Amino acid sequence: MKKVVLFISAALAAFVMASCSQEDAIETEVSKNKVISFSAYINRQSRASDATATTLQSANLKVIAYETDATPWASYNVTDAQQTLFMGSIDASKVISTMNVSYSGGWTYSPLKFWPGNDGKVSFFSYNGTGLVTKMGANAGAGAAPNIRVLVPDAVADQKDLVAATLIDQSESTNGGQVNFTYKHILSKIGFKAKTSSDVSSSGITSVVVKSLKIKYKASTLAAVGYYTFPSANGDDGSWYVATGTYHTTAGETLNTSNVSLALDGTTLTQLNDDDKFLMLVPQNVVKGDLLMDITYTIAFGADTHDISLTGVELEAIASPMLQNTQYMYNLIISANAVAFGTMSVSAWQDGSGIDQGV
């Protein structure tokens, strides 16, 4: 997986976004007088819809932190009376306002913060500013991490890659004063591939071209809102609560902007959706028929062409429930008279199990 690595030197350093698998040299800048300053190094990305250096810099980072003195986070009782943030602010109704870290030739924020004395502990929570988060709230209890309310838009172009990170019990002496934050994708991602049903290269078929792939949501089934609670321990995943009452709805959106030609060997899978047109969803149960597909493709026998259109095809269920930080690919098998579903692959962000499907 490639990584996006951010550094917050002298106090808060080296944010890492786990994405793909390549990692380059690390740069560190040391500030004086224990000031928490920001610098950034960000690796390249492979998918247009994934968070990148450009999207992080343009969308800014949202950061909050709790100072717990000598008390470990797991034992820190986050009560109403104690909810004073080291970074960010909180009101009487437990609504949190994050510290905004913006980029202009370097990461900047105001007011500057300093590491607490006596090697006091600080726990950090962060996400990227994509516009998907409508509210951040505090939870009460020992080691209770905050949560964010996430609203995923219907339009695929507005479904941004949301990443989040947690780093617990950091101090000035931890890693030489550097806080290494690992960002993870927290939504689920859906894409589409296709292949021919068999090797047709010697059958007289000269081309198979997918002209249009349109996906629709079944009314009042897939939730558009969810609440993500940050993990309370380093390395753990956060948890999702899927809200009811706000659902995805659309008359259909085309996921490819140009024709897609398939290999004729019956084995090569070709991606149909554009790189910036993966579906992003709050992780939840997706049963058969929650997603509907319209597809148009052309099979050519030399100069003789046949257009085939299928509408309202019910897509099969996805592993229940969908997992965060996981990409699901529908593999369409196209023949001269039908489209079937082969093994669903789960990959790219994090591996999972496949599922056989058919129409």
Side-chain angles (χ1 to χ4, degrees):
M1 303 287 289
K2 295 189 179 78
K3 292 183 177 179
V4 174
V5 183
L6 305 176
F7 302 88
I8 305 172
S9 55
L12 183 63
F15 283 93
V16 180
M17 191 193 86
S19 172
C20 299
S21 69
Q22 199 168 27
E23 186 173 350
D24 294 332
I26 294 175
E27 299 175 356
T28 304
E29 173 188 330
V30 178
S31 301
K32 298 178 180 179
N33 302 323
K34 302 180 182 178
V35 175
I36 299 177
S37 63
F38 293 76
S39 63
Y41 174 82
I42 304 179
N43 263 0
R44 61 190 179 278
Q45 295 294 298
S46 60
R47 297 290 186 182
S49 56
D50 288 350
T52 65
T54 301
T55 58
L56 285 179
Q57 292 173 6
S58 61
N60 303 324
L61 303 175
K62 309 295 183 180
V63 179
I64 71 163
Y66 287 89
E67 180 184 354
T68 63
D69 298 320
T71 304
W73 177 257
S75 303
Y76 181 71
N77 188 16
V78 189
T79 64
D80 292 343
Q82 290 174 308
Q83 287 183 357
T84 300
L85 297 183
F86 180 72
M87 285 184 168
S89 61
I90 185 169
D91 64 19
S93 60
K94 303 183 186 179
V95 175
I96 292 175
S97 296
T98 60
M99 175 170 284
N100 189 53
V101 181
S102 60
Y103 189 88
S104 179
W107 295 101
T108 61
Y109 68 96
S110 179
L112 293 177
K113 301 296 292 185
F114 297 78
W115 280 108
N118 300 318
D119 213 32
K121 299 180 185 298
V122 181
S123 293
F124 300 88
F125 305 91
S126 178
Y127 63 91
N128 60 330
T130 60
L132 272 62
V133 176
T134 61
K135 184 171 67 174
M136 189 172 195
N139 291 316
N147 66 77
I148 51 177
R149 181 184 185 271
V150 178
L151 172 61
V152 179
D154 290 334
V156 174
D158 297 328
Q159 294 176 353
K160 307 301 183 182
D161 183 16
L162 183 60
V163 296
T166 297
L167 203 54
I168 301 299
D169 292 340
Q170 301 301 292
S171 66
E172 187 184 4
S173 65
T174 305
N175 299 320
Q178 294 186 358
V179 178
N180 301 317
F181 229 172
T182 300
Y183 282 92
K184 294 182 179 181
H185 309 281
I186 62 173
L187 296 175
S188 299
K189 185 177 181 180
I190 301 175
F192 297 83
K193 292 183 177 181
K195 67 177 183 177
T196 56
S197 58
S198 61
D199 186 346
V200 296
S201 57
S202 59
S203 68
I205 294 177
T206 54
S207 69
V208 178
V209 178
V210 177
K211 292 185 173 181
S212 175
L213 174 69
K214 181 180 290 186
I215 300 300
K216 297 177 284 188
Y217 302 103
K218 183 178 179 181
S220 303
T221 56
L222 292 177
V225 173
Y227 290 84
Y228 173 81
T229 299
F230 288 81
S232 292
N234 295 328
D236 287 355
D237 290 330
S239 60
W240 278 97
Y241 167 77
V242 180
T244 59
T246 303
Y247 300 99
H248 286 292
T249 176
T250 178
E253 185 164 359
T254 301
L255 301 186
N256 62 308
T257 54
S258 58
N259 294 344
V260 180
S261 296
L262 304 186
L264 303 180
D265 56 12
T267 59
T268 302
L269 284 164
T270 302
Q271 183 175 305
L272 300 180
N273 58 283
D274 296 344
D275 272 349
D276 60 352
K277 290 189 177 181
F278 283 84
L279 295 180
M280 297 284 194
L281 294 178
V282 168
Q284 58 191 289
N285 293 329
V286 178
V287 302
K288 183 176 181 178
D290 282 349
L291 291 171
L292 305 173
M293 176 184 70
D294 295 347
I295 186 170
T296 299
Y297 60 98
T298 297
I299 296 179
F301 299 83
D304 187 16
T305 62
H306 299 271
D307 290 328
I308 301 173
S309 294
L310 302 173
T311 60
V313 177
E314 292 189 342
L315 298 186
E316 294 289 342
I318 296 177
S320 180
M322 298 174 72
L323 302 176
Q324 60 185 281
N325 189 29
T326 302
Q327 175 175 288
Y328 299 87
M329 296 296 295
Y330 279 101
N331 296 324
L332 283 60
I333 302 173
I334 294 181
S335 67
N337 52 20
V339 173
F341 289 90
T343 299
M344 171 176 284
S345 58
V346 184
S347 60
W349 286 2
Q350 102 180 351
D351 292 334
S353 58
I355 181 172
D356 290 332
Q357 305 186 41
V359 174

Short mmCIF file of all heavy atoms in Angstrom, two decimals, residues 44-86:
data_model
loop_
_atom_site.label_atom_id
_atom_site.label_comp_id
_atom_site.label_asym_id
_atom_site.label_seq_id
_atom_site.Cartn_x
_atom_site.Cartn_y
_atom_site.Cartn_z
N ARG A 44 3.07 9.74 -3.59
CA ARG A 44 2.10 9.75 -4.70
C ARG A 44 1.04 8.68 -4.48
O ARG A 44 1.25 7.72 -3.75
CB ARG A 44 2.81 9.52 -6.03
CG ARG A 44 3.52 8.20 -6.11
CD ARG A 44 4.41 8.15 -7.35
NE ARG A 44 5.12 6.91 -7.44
CZ ARG A 44 6.24 6.66 -6.79
NH1 ARG A 44 6.77 7.58 -5.99
NH2 ARG A 44 6.85 5.50 -6.92
N GLN A 45 -0.11 8.83 -5.13
CA GLN A 45 -1.23 7.89 -5.01
C GLN A 45 -1.53 7.29 -6.38
O GLN A 45 -1.16 7.84 -7.41
CB GLN A 45 -2.46 8.61 -4.47
CG GLN A 45 -2.29 9.11 -3.05
CD GLN A 45 -2.14 7.98 -2.07
OE1 GLN A 45 -3.04 7.16 -1.93
NE2 GLN A 45 -1.02 7.90 -1.40
N SER A 46 -2.25 6.16 -6.38
CA SER A 46 -2.53 5.46 -7.64
C SER A 46 -3.96 5.63 -8.11
O SER A 46 -4.26 5.35 -9.26
CB SER A 46 -2.22 3.97 -7.48
OG SER A 46 -3.03 3.41 -6.46
N ARG A 47 -4.88 6.04 -7.26
CA ARG A 47 -6.28 6.16 -7.64
C ARG A 47 -6.73 7.61 -7.55
O ARG A 47 -6.47 8.29 -6.56
CB ARG A 47 -7.16 5.32 -6.71
CG ARG A 47 -6.89 3.82 -6.78
CD ARG A 47 -7.35 3.24 -8.10
NE ARG A 47 -7.21 1.79 -8.12
CZ ARG A 47 -7.50 1.04 -9.16
NH1 ARG A 47 -7.95 1.60 -10.26
NH2 ARG A 47 -7.36 -0.26 -9.12
N ALA A 48 -7.43 8.06 -8.58
CA ALA A 48 -7.86 9.45 -8.60
C ALA A 48 -8.83 9.77 -7.49
O ALA A 48 -8.96 10.92 -7.06
CB ALA A 48 -8.49 9.78 -9.96
N SER A 49 -9.56 8.75 -7.00
CA SER A 49 -10.55 9.01 -5.95
C SER A 49 -9.96 8.89 -4.55
O SER A 49 -10.65 9.16 -3.57
CB SER A 49 -11.72 8.03 -6.10
OG SER A 49 -11.27 6.70 -6.07
N ASP A 50 -8.70 8.47 -4.43
CA ASP A 50 -8.08 8.35 -3.12
C ASP A 50 -7.52 9.70 -2.66
O ASP A 50 -7.20 10.57 -3.46
CB ASP A 50 -6.93 7.33 -3.16
CG ASP A 50 -7.44 5.90 -3.28
OD1 ASP A 50 -8.66 5.70 -3.15
OD2 ASP A 50 -6.61 5.01 -3.51
N ALA A 51 -7.39 9.85 -1.33
CA ALA A 51 -6.78 11.05 -0.79
C ALA A 51 -5.33 11.13 -1.26
O ALA A 51 -4.61 10.14 -1.28
CB ALA A 51 -6.85 11.03 0.73
N THR A 52 -4.91 12.31 -1.67
CA THR A 52 -3.56 12.53 -2.18
C THR A 52 -2.96 13.75 -1.50
O THR A 52 -3.62 14.44 -0.72
CB THR A 52 -3.58 12.76 -3.69
OG1 THR A 52 -4.29 13.99 -3.95
CG2 THR A 52 -4.26 11.61 -4.42
N ALA A 53 -1.70 14.03 -1.84
CA ALA A 53 -1.05 15.22 -1.32
C ALA A 53 -1.87 16.47 -1.66
O ALA A 53 -2.09 17.34 -0.82
CB ALA A 53 0.36 15.34 -1.90
N THR A 54 -2.36 16.53 -2.89
CA THR A 54 -3.11 17.71 -3.33
C THR A 54 -4.43 17.85 -2.58
O THR A 54 -4.78 18.94 -2.11
CB THR A 54 -3.38 17.63 -4.84
OG1 THR A 54 -2.14 17.57 -5.54
CG2 THR A 54 -4.17 18.84 -5.30
N THR A 55 -5.17 16.74 -2.42
CA THR A 55 -6.46 16.84 -1.74
C THR A 55 -6.30 17.13 -0.26
O THR A 55 -7.08 17.87 0.32
CB THR A 55 -7.29 15.56 -1.94
OG1 THR A 55 -6.55 14.43 -1.43
CG2 THR A 55 -7.62 15.32 -3.39
N LEU A 56 -5.27 16.54 0.37
CA LEU A 56 -5.04 16.85 1.78
C LEU A 56 -4.67 18.31 1.97
O LEU A 56 -5.13 18.97 2.89
CB LEU A 56 -3.94 15.95 2.35
CG LEU A 56 -4.30 14.50 2.63
CD1 LEU A 56 -3.10 13.75 3.16
CD2 LEU A 56 -5.45 14.39 3.62
N GLN A 57 -3.81 18.83 1.10
CA GLN A 57 -3.37 20.21 1.23
C GLN A 57 -4.49 21.19 0.93
O GLN A 57 -4.60 22.25 1.56
CB GLN A 57 -2.17 20.47 0.31
CG GLN A 57 -0.92 19.74 0.74
CD GLN A 57 0.20 19.87 -0.28
OE1 GLN A 57 0.09 20.60 -1.26
NE2 GLN A 57 1.29 19.14 -0.05
N SER A 58 -5.34 20.84 -0.03
CA SER A 58 -6.42 21.76 -0.38
C SER A 58 -7.59 21.67 0.59
O SER A 58 -8.32 22.63 0.81
CB SER A 58 -6.90 21.48 -1.81
OG SER A 58 -7.40 20.16 -1.91
N ALA A 59 -7.78 20.46 1.18
CA ALA A 59 -8.92 20.27 2.08
C ALA A 59 -8.58 20.55 3.53
O ALA A 59 -9.46 20.65 4.37
CB ALA A 59 -9.44 18.83 1.95
N ASN A 60 -7.27 20.63 3.85
CA ASN A 60 -6.78 20.88 5.20
C ASN A 60 -6.93 19.63 6.09
O ASN A 60 -7.63 18.68 5.75
CB ASN A 60 -7.49 22.06 5.86
CG ASN A 60 -7.34 23.33 5.05
OD1 ASN A 60 -6.31 23.57 4.45
ND2 ASN A 60 -8.38 24.15 5.05
N LEU A 61 -6.28 19.68 7.24
CA LEU A 61 -6.37 18.63 8.24
C LEU A 61 -7.17 19.15 9.43
O LEU A 61 -7.08 20.32 9.78
CB LEU A 61 -4.98 18.21 8.72
CG LEU A 61 -4.00 17.73 7.66
CD1 LEU A 61 -2.64 17.46 8.27
CD2 LEU A 61 -4.55 16.49 6.98
N LYS A 62 -7.95 18.28 10.03
CA LYS A 62 -8.72 18.60 11.22
C LYS A 62 -8.12 17.82 12.38
O LYS A 62 -8.06 16.59 12.33
CB LYS A 62 -10.20 18.24 11.03
CG LYS A 62 -10.81 18.80 9.74
CD LYS A 62 -10.85 20.32 9.74
CE LYS A 62 -11.53 20.85 8.48
NZ LYS A 62 -11.58 22.32 8.45
N VAL A 63 -7.68 18.51 13.42
CA VAL A 63 -6.98 17.88 14.52
C VAL A 63 -7.56 18.34 15.85
O VAL A 63 -7.85 19.53 16.04
CB VAL A 63 -5.47 18.22 14.49
CG1 VAL A 63 -4.73 17.57 15.67
CG2 VAL A 63 -4.84 17.79 13.17
N ILE A 64 -7.77 17.38 16.78
CA ILE A 64 -8.05 17.72 18.17
C ILE A 64 -7.13 16.89 19.05
O ILE A 64 -6.57 15.88 18.61
CB ILE A 64 -9.53 17.47 18.57
CG1 ILE A 64 -9.81 15.96 18.66
CG2 ILE A 64 -10.49 18.17 17.64
CD1 ILE A 64 -11.07 15.64 19.44
N ALA A 65 -6.94 17.33 20.29
CA ALA A 65 -6.09 16.59 21.21
C ALA A 65 -6.54 16.82 22.64
O ALA A 65 -7.01 17.91 22.99
CB ALA A 65 -4.63 17.01 21.04
N TYR A 66 -6.42 15.77 23.46
CA TYR A 66 -6.67 15.84 24.89
C TYR A 66 -5.34 15.75 25.64
O TYR A 66 -4.51 14.89 25.33
CB TYR A 66 -7.55 14.67 25.35
CG TYR A 66 -9.00 14.74 24.96
CD1 TYR A 66 -9.44 14.21 23.76
CD2 TYR A 66 -9.94 15.29 25.82
CE1 TYR A 66 -10.78 14.25 23.40
CE2 TYR A 66 -11.29 15.33 25.49
CZ TYR A 66 -11.71 14.80 24.28
OH TYR A 66 -13.03 14.84 23.94
N GLU A 67 -5.14 16.61 26.62
CA GLU A 67 -3.99 16.49 27.52
C GLU A 67 -4.44 15.76 28.79
O GLU A 67 -5.39 16.18 29.45
CB GLU A 67 -3.45 17.87 27.89
CG GLU A 67 -2.25 17.83 28.83
CD GLU A 67 -1.80 19.22 29.25
OE1 GLU A 67 -2.35 20.22 28.72
OE2 GLU A 67 -0.91 19.31 30.12
N THR A 68 -3.77 14.65 29.11
CA THR A 68 -4.18 13.84 30.26
C THR A 68 -3.13 13.80 31.36
O THR A 68 -3.22 12.98 32.28
CB THR A 68 -4.50 12.40 29.80
OG1 THR A 68 -3.30 11.80 29.28
CG2 THR A 68 -5.59 12.39 28.74
N ASP A 69 -2.11 14.67 31.29
CA ASP A 69 -1.03 14.73 32.28
C ASP A 69 -0.36 13.37 32.40
O ASP A 69 0.05 12.81 31.40
CB ASP A 69 -1.57 15.23 33.62
CG ASP A 69 -2.13 16.65 33.52
OD1 ASP A 69 -1.51 17.46 32.81
OD2 ASP A 69 -3.19 16.91 34.10
N ALA A 70 -0.28 12.80 33.60
CA ALA A 70 0.40 11.51 33.79
C ALA A 70 -0.54 10.32 33.60
O ALA A 70 -0.11 9.17 33.63
CB ALA A 70 1.03 11.45 35.18
N THR A 71 -1.84 10.59 33.40
CA THR A 71 -2.83 9.51 33.30
C THR A 71 -2.88 8.93 31.89
O THR A 71 -3.07 9.68 30.93
CB THR A 71 -4.22 10.02 33.67
OG1 THR A 71 -4.18 10.60 34.97
CG2 THR A 71 -5.25 8.89 33.65
N PRO A 72 -2.74 7.61 31.72
CA PRO A 72 -2.91 7.01 30.39
C PRO A 72 -4.33 7.23 29.87
O PRO A 72 -5.28 7.30 30.65
CB PRO A 72 -2.63 5.52 30.63
CG PRO A 72 -1.88 5.46 31.91
CD PRO A 72 -2.38 6.60 32.74
N TRP A 73 -4.48 7.32 28.56
CA TRP A 73 -5.79 7.57 27.96
C TRP A 73 -6.82 6.54 28.38
O TRP A 73 -7.97 6.86 28.65
CB TRP A 73 -5.67 7.62 26.45
CG TRP A 73 -7.00 7.80 25.76
CD1 TRP A 73 -7.74 6.85 25.12
CD2 TRP A 73 -7.75 9.01 25.67
NE1 TRP A 73 -8.91 7.39 24.64
CE2 TRP A 73 -8.94 8.71 24.95
CE3 TRP A 73 -7.55 10.32 26.10
CZ2 TRP A 73 -9.91 9.68 24.68
CZ3 TRP A 73 -8.52 11.28 25.82
CH2 TRP A 73 -9.67 10.95 25.12
N ALA A 74 -6.42 5.26 28.46
CA ALA A 74 -7.36 4.20 28.81
C ALA A 74 -7.97 4.39 30.18
O ALA A 74 -9.08 3.91 30.46
CB ALA A 74 -6.68 2.84 28.73
N SER A 75 -7.28 5.12 31.06
CA SER A 75 -7.78 5.34 32.42
C SER A 75 -8.33 6.74 32.60
O SER A 75 -8.86 7.06 33.68
CB SER A 75 -6.65 5.11 33.44
OG SER A 75 -6.11 3.82 33.32
N TYR A 76 -8.21 7.56 31.58
CA TYR A 76 -8.65 8.95 31.69
C TYR A 76 -10.16 9.02 31.57
O TYR A 76 -10.75 8.60 30.56
CB TYR A 76 -7.99 9.78 30.58
CG TYR A 76 -8.35 11.24 30.60
CD1 TYR A 76 -7.88 12.10 31.59
CD2 TYR A 76 -9.17 11.78 29.60
CE1 TYR A 76 -8.19 13.45 31.59
CE2 TYR A 76 -9.49 13.12 29.59
CZ TYR A 76 -8.99 13.95 30.58
OH TYR A 76 -9.31 15.29 30.58
N ASN A 77 -10.83 9.51 32.57
CA ASN A 77 -12.29 9.59 32.59
C ASN A 77 -12.74 10.86 31.89
O ASN A 77 -12.66 11.95 32.44
CB ASN A 77 -12.80 9.55 34.03
CG ASN A 77 -14.31 9.43 34.08
OD1 ASN A 77 -14.95 9.10 33.08
ND2 ASN A 77 -14.89 9.72 35.23
N VAL A 78 -13.19 10.69 30.66
CA VAL A 78 -13.60 11.84 29.86
C VAL A 78 -15.01 12.25 30.28
O VAL A 78 -16.00 11.90 29.63
CB VAL A 78 -13.54 11.50 28.35
CG1 VAL A 78 -13.75 12.75 27.51
CG2 VAL A 78 -12.20 10.87 28.01
N THR A 79 -15.11 12.98 31.37
CA THR A 79 -16.40 13.45 31.86
C THR A 79 -16.68 14.83 31.32
O THR A 79 -15.82 15.49 30.74
CB THR A 79 -16.42 13.47 33.39
OG1 THR A 79 -15.45 14.42 33.85
CG2 THR A 79 -16.08 12.11 33.97
N ASP A 80 -17.90 15.29 31.55
CA ASP A 80 -18.26 16.63 31.09
C ASP A 80 -17.33 17.68 31.67
O ASP A 80 -16.91 18.62 30.98
CB ASP A 80 -19.71 16.95 31.47
CG ASP A 80 -20.71 16.09 30.71
OD1 ASP A 80 -20.31 15.52 29.69
OD2 ASP A 80 -21.86 15.99 31.16
N ALA A 81 -17.00 17.54 32.95
CA ALA A 81 -16.17 18.55 33.62
C ALA A 81 -14.75 18.57 33.06
O ALA A 81 -14.07 19.60 33.10
CB ALA A 81 -16.12 18.29 35.11
N GLN A 82 -14.28 17.44 32.53
CA GLN A 82 -12.90 17.36 32.07
C GLN A 82 -12.74 17.65 30.59
O GLN A 82 -11.62 17.62 30.09
CB GLN A 82 -12.35 15.95 32.36
CG GLN A 82 -12.14 15.66 33.83
CD GLN A 82 -11.74 14.21 34.05
OE1 GLN A 82 -12.40 13.31 33.57
NE2 GLN A 82 -10.65 13.99 34.76
N GLN A 83 -13.82 17.90 29.91
CA GLN A 83 -13.71 18.03 28.47
C GLN A 83 -13.23 19.41 28.04
O GLN A 83 -13.94 20.21 27.46
CB GLN A 83 -15.04 17.66 27.81
CG GLN A 83 -15.28 16.16 27.87
CD GLN A 83 -16.54 15.74 27.17
OE1 GLN A 83 -17.29 16.57 26.68
NE2 GLN A 83 -16.80 14.44 27.09
N THR A 84 -11.97 19.66 28.36
CA THR A 84 -11.25 20.82 27.88
C THR A 84 -10.15 20.30 26.97
O THR A 84 -9.34 19.47 27.37
CB THR A 84 -10.63 21.62 29.04
OG1 THR A 84 -11.68 22.06 29.90
CG2 THR A 84 -9.87 22.82 28.51
N LEU A 85 -10.13 20.75 25.74
CA LEU A 85 -9.23 20.18 24.76
C LEU A 85 -7.89 20.92 24.73
O LEU A 85 -7.82 22.13 24.89
CB LEU A 85 -9.86 20.24 23.37
CG LEU A 85 -11.14 19.42 23.18
CD1 LEU A 85 -11.62 19.52 21.73
CD2 LEU A 85 -10.92 17.97 23.55
N PHE A 86 -6.84 20.16 24.51
CA PHE A 86 -5.51 20.72 24.33
C PHE A 86 -5.40 21.37 22.96
O PHE A 86 -4.77 22.41 22.80
CB PHE A 86 -4.47 19.59 24.48
CG PHE A 86 -3.06 20.02 24.33
CD1 PHE A 86 -2.43 20.78 25.30
CD2 PHE A 86 -2.33 19.65 23.21
CE1 PHE A 86 -1.12 21.18 25.16
CE2 PHE A 86 -1.01 20.05 23.05
CZ PHE A 86 -0.40 20.81 24.04
#
